[in-house]
């Protein structure tokens, strides 16, 4: 540090963070679930400006801060490109019938005697296919809550099953924005991050399914599955659904298993979705053909082009089904990109001006082991979710705070990225004032503190992560020939 630059005090370091917490809390109070669509971004930029003022008082120049912001944002550029490509993939996979086919077969799994476990599994399948816990809960989740009501089952348990499955699928899907954000912040690779997450997520999910199965056997209610049968029939009336629809999915997973780079893999998946749409869903494709090429051989190509950048729109008499089948495209990801850019800007200013380091110093004084470091990260993620009411902040801020310490201890970046998701992503739905908890309450009609005891996956995952951390089970280290700078770049 230059002699002209003063070391920040704890009060200076805490001031931008406290201001951000207050502004985000106000944002959530005023705008609710819509706070992530602009208000939170303004709060982040305002907090970043306040951090700049503190830095100026300590001797930093704007050129130094700007360089730090540029470097900080560059960390997320790979994830931003992937997120935009994921939007394209969702658009063509909706158009081609791939996602509707997954939903159709998922509904086939529902059985009255296995209702809770089946609900959890169905939501997991749908969330993996579309990469969104929110959309899954608002569509399939709402339908399942309705069925549970008709069966006179425990609505809190049903909501816990829906949320558990939705967040497992979201967490494990390469289409999810948070699943892309965590490795971007930590410096790991997307598919390597997902593979490493299976060590904590899969055991937690299996245990959750066993618990839901056990609970399910205590209920003897008979189900009326008419509403879900109607949804299946509507899917069949709109799309050509058969096993061939799953071929692009198999190709995507094969490329992922072969450890191919995420961006070209997802791009290939998006193009395959467009090809499948032209071949198998001509009637749906015809509804998206731009007027300028109607009746031309370019019509189907134009429809796929629209799906890639603007998503798919399917009209039905069922508004829930229409919401499930409409969306995607690069345009749908622009708000997420906006949020990531502002969050990374705040984190970069806090980091490059030494404010983040000053906040972290006190915490690290009591952390002496790898297990303690991972546990501290887990609780910090939960604390950020609690205080800032936003799961993106619960990934970005702890990721920026702990990244250097993980590198100093020669831990693989995947350890950090998995830890961020094991708490930052999934604990958000347990907090009533968090945007995720507020959203789940709005769509499911069950208060988060009511379904929280039954959302087994959401607290089993961080618990398993802590057990693995203190037993040093599968905690990856940097190899001898791998530098810290290279690993965390």
């Amino acid at each position: 540090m230059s002699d002209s630059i003063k070391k920040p005090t704890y009060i200076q370091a805490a001031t931008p963070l406290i201001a951000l917490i207050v502004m985000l809390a106000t944002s959530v109070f005023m705008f609710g679930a819509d706070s992530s669509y602009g208000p939170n971004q303004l709060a982040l930029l305002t907090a970043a400006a306040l951090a700049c003022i503190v830095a100026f008082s300590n001797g930093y120049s704007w050129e130094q801060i700007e360089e730090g912001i540029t470097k900080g944002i560059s960390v997320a550029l790979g994830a931003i490109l992937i997120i935009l490509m994921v939007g394209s993939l969702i658009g063509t996979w909706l158009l081609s019938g791939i996602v509707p086919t997954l939903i159709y077969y998922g509904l086939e799994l529902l059985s009255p005697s296995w209702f809770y476990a089946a609900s959890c599994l169905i939501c997991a399948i749908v969330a993996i296919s579309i990469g969104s816990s929110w959309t899954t809960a608002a569509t399939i989740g709402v339908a399942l809550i309705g069925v549970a009501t008709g069966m006179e089952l425990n609505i809190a348990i049903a909501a816990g099953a829906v949320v558990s499955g939705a967040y497992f699928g979201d967490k494990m899907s390469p289409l999810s924005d948070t699943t892309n954000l965590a490795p971007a912040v930590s410096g790991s690779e997307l598919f390597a991050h997902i593979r490493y997450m299976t060590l904590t997520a899969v055991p937690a999910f299996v245990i959750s399914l066993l618990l839901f199965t056990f609970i399910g056997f205590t209920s003897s209610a008979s189900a009326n599955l008419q509403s879900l049968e109607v949804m299946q029939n509507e899917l069949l009336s709109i799309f050509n659904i058969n096993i061939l629809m799953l071929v692009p999915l198999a190709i995507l997973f094969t490329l992922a298993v072969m450890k191919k780079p995420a961006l070209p893999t997802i791009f290939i998946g998006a193009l395959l979705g467009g090809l499948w749409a032209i071949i198998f869903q001509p009637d749906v494709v015809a509804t998206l053909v731009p007027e300028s090429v109607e009746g031309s051989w370019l019509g189907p190509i134009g429809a796929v082009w629209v799906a890639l950048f603007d998503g798919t729109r399917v009209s039905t008499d069922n508004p829930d089904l229409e919401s499930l089948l409409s969306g995607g495209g690069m345009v749908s990801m622009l708000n997420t990109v906006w949020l990531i850019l502002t969050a990374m800007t705040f984190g970069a200013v806090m980091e490059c001006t030494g404010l983040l380091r000053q906040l972290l110093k006190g915490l690290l004084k009591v952390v002496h082991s790898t297990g303690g470091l991972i546990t501290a990260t887990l609780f910090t993620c939960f604390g950020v979710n609690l205080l800032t009411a936003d799961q993106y902040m619960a990934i970005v801020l702890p990721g920026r705070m702990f990244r250097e310490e993980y590198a100093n201890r020669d831990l693989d970046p995947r350890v950090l990225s998995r830890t961020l998701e094991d708490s930052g992503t999934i604990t958000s739905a347990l907090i009533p004032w968090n945007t995720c908890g507020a959203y789940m309450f709005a769509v499911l009609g069950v208060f988060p503190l009511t379904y929280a005891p039954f959302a087994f996956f959401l607290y089993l995952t961080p618990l398993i992560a802590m057990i693995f951390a203190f037993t040093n089970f599968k905690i990856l280290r940097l190899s001898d020939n791998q530098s810290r700078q290279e690993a965390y770049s």
Side-chain angles (χ1 to χ4, degrees):
M1 182 178 292
S2 171
D3 294 336
S4 62
I5 295 178
K6 295 184 295 185
K7 180 180 177 182
T9 65
Y10 283 110
I11 294 177
Q12 286 180 324
T15 298
L17 184 60
I18 293 172
L20 176 63
I21 291 170
V22 172
M23 286 187 289
L24 288 175
T26 305
S27 171
V28 172
F29 176 77
M30 293 177 62
F31 300 100
D34 292 331
S35 61
S36 289
Y37 292 88
N40 286 355
Q41 286 89 329
L42 290 174
L44 284 161
L45 287 178
T46 304
L50 181 57
C52 287
I53 294 173
V54 173
F56 291 148
S57 70
N58 287 331
Y60 284 89
S61 66
W62 170 247
E63 288 72 20
Q64 290 173 305
I65 296 174
E66 186 177 37
E67 182 181 354
I69 293 173
T70 303
K71 183 179 179 181
I73 290 177
S74 67
V75 172
L77 288 180
I80 288 172
L81 290 174
I82 290 173
I83 287 170
L84 291 173
M85 195 52 59
V86 162
S88 295
L89 184 141
I90 293 173
T92 60
W93 280 28
L94 285 168
L95 183 65
S96 64
I98 297 171
V99 170
T101 297
L102 288 168
I103 295 171
Y104 179 87
Y105 289 141
L107 293 175
E108 286 286 318
L109 297 174
L110 195 62
S111 171
S113 58
W114 301 84
F115 181 83
Y116 297 130
S119 297
C120 183
L121 187 58
I122 288 169
C123 289
I125 292 172
V126 174
I128 288 175
S129 68
I130 64 177
S132 172
S133 57
W134 283 27
T135 303
T136 300
T139 50
I140 294 297
V142 170
L144 291 170
I145 291 295
V147 173
T149 302
M151 295 169 62
E152 298 183 355
L153 295 176
N154 189 307
I155 303 303
I157 301 176
V162 168
V163 172
S164 292
Y167 271 83
F168 170 77
D170 187 307
K171 179 178 163 72
M172 300 306 296
S173 174
L175 311 183
S176 168
D177 48 7
T178 54
T179 305
N180 281 274
L181 180 58
V185 171
S186 64
S188 61
E189 193 271 333
L190 173 62
F191 290 120
H193 163 67
I194 293 174
R195 287 191 295 271
Y196 192 55
M197 279 200 300
T198 60
L199 293 172
T200 53
V202 171
F205 185 66
V206 170
I207 294 172
S208 299
L209 288 177
L210 291 175
L211 290 171
F212 286 127
T213 300
F214 176 78
I215 294 173
F217 277 108
T218 64
S219 173
S220 58
S222 59
N224 178 9
L225 304 180
Q226 183 178 1
S227 62
L228 297 185
E229 290 175 359
V230 168
M231 184 177 288
Q232 284 185 298
N233 290 333
E234 289 180 336
L235 287 172
L236 286 172
S237 68
I238 298 171
F239 294 96
N240 175 17
I241 292 178
N242 58 68
I243 200 67
L244 291 177
M245 297 297 101
L246 302 182
V247 172
L249 179 65
I251 293 174
L252 183 71
F253 283 166
T254 300
L255 292 173
V257 171
M258 294 172 62
K259 302 182 180 180
K260 300 301 181 183
L263 184 61
T265 294
I266 296 173
F267 181 55
I268 290 171
L271 293 181
L272 283 174
L275 179 62
W276 250 241
I278 293 173
I279 296 174
F280 294 103
Q281 313 295 344
D283 292 339
V284 181
V285 168
T287 64
L288 282 185
V289 173
E291 293 183 3
S292 58
V293 290
E294 283 184 353
S296 164
W297 65 273
L298 285 173
I301 296 176
V304 171
W305 203 319
V306 170
L308 286 167
F309 75 84
D310 197 32
T312 297
R313 304 289 180 270
V314 176
S315 298
T316 73
D317 294 330
N318 185 336
D320 290 333
L321 184 63
E322 183 171 328
S323 174
L324 186 63
L325 300 179
S326 301
M330 289 187 180
V331 170
S332 68
M333 296 296 179
L334 292 181
N335 184 72
T336 299
V337 171
W338 182 19
L339 188 60
I340 290 173
L341 288 174
T342 53
M344 296 300 286
T345 297
F346 174 74
V349 174
M350 291 287 289
E351 183 178 37
C352 74
T353 59
L355 300 177
L356 203 57
R357 192 179 304 109
Q358 186 69 6
L359 283 174
L360 187 60
K361 187 182 298 182
L363 179 61
L364 293 178
K365 284 181 179 179
V366 298
V367 174
H368 304 291
S369 65
T370 298
L373 177 62
I374 292 174
T375 300
T377 309
L378 291 168
F379 277 101
T380 301
C381 290
F382 178 71
V384 174
N385 257 328
L386 202 68
L387 294 173
T388 67
D390 189 87
Q391 65 174 341
Y392 297 103
M393 293 301 302
I395 293 175
V396 173
L397 280 182
R400 303 296 294 186
M401 287 173 62
F402 287 98
R403 180 175 170 136
E404 183 178 350
E405 186 64 22
Y406 275 71
N408 290 339
R409 299 192 185 205
D410 291 327
L411 292 169
D412 190 283
R414 285 172 287 179
V415 179
L416 176 57
S417 64
R418 186 184 75 179
T419 305
L420 295 176
E421 285 240 69
D422 283 344
S423 181
T425 298
I426 60 178
T427 61
S428 57
L430 297 173
I431 302 167
W433 55 86
N434 189 286
T435 52
C436 296
Y439 180 84
M440 291 298 161
F441 176 51
V443 298
L444 299 179
V446 183
F447 195 60
L449 295 183
T450 304
Y451 67 65
F454 308 104
F456 302 120
F457 177 75
L458 273 58
Y459 51 83
L460 281 173
T461 302
L463 178 61
I464 291 173
M466 278 190 281
I467 293 172
F468 285 179
F470 282 107
T471 59
N472 204 34
F473 179 74
K474 296 292 185 179
I475 302 300
L476 302 178
R477 305 277 176 175
L478 297 179
S479 59
D480 293 336
N481 59 352
Q482 189 177 21
S483 70
R484 294 170 182 172
Q485 183 176 2
E486 177 188 1
Y488 281 84
S489 63

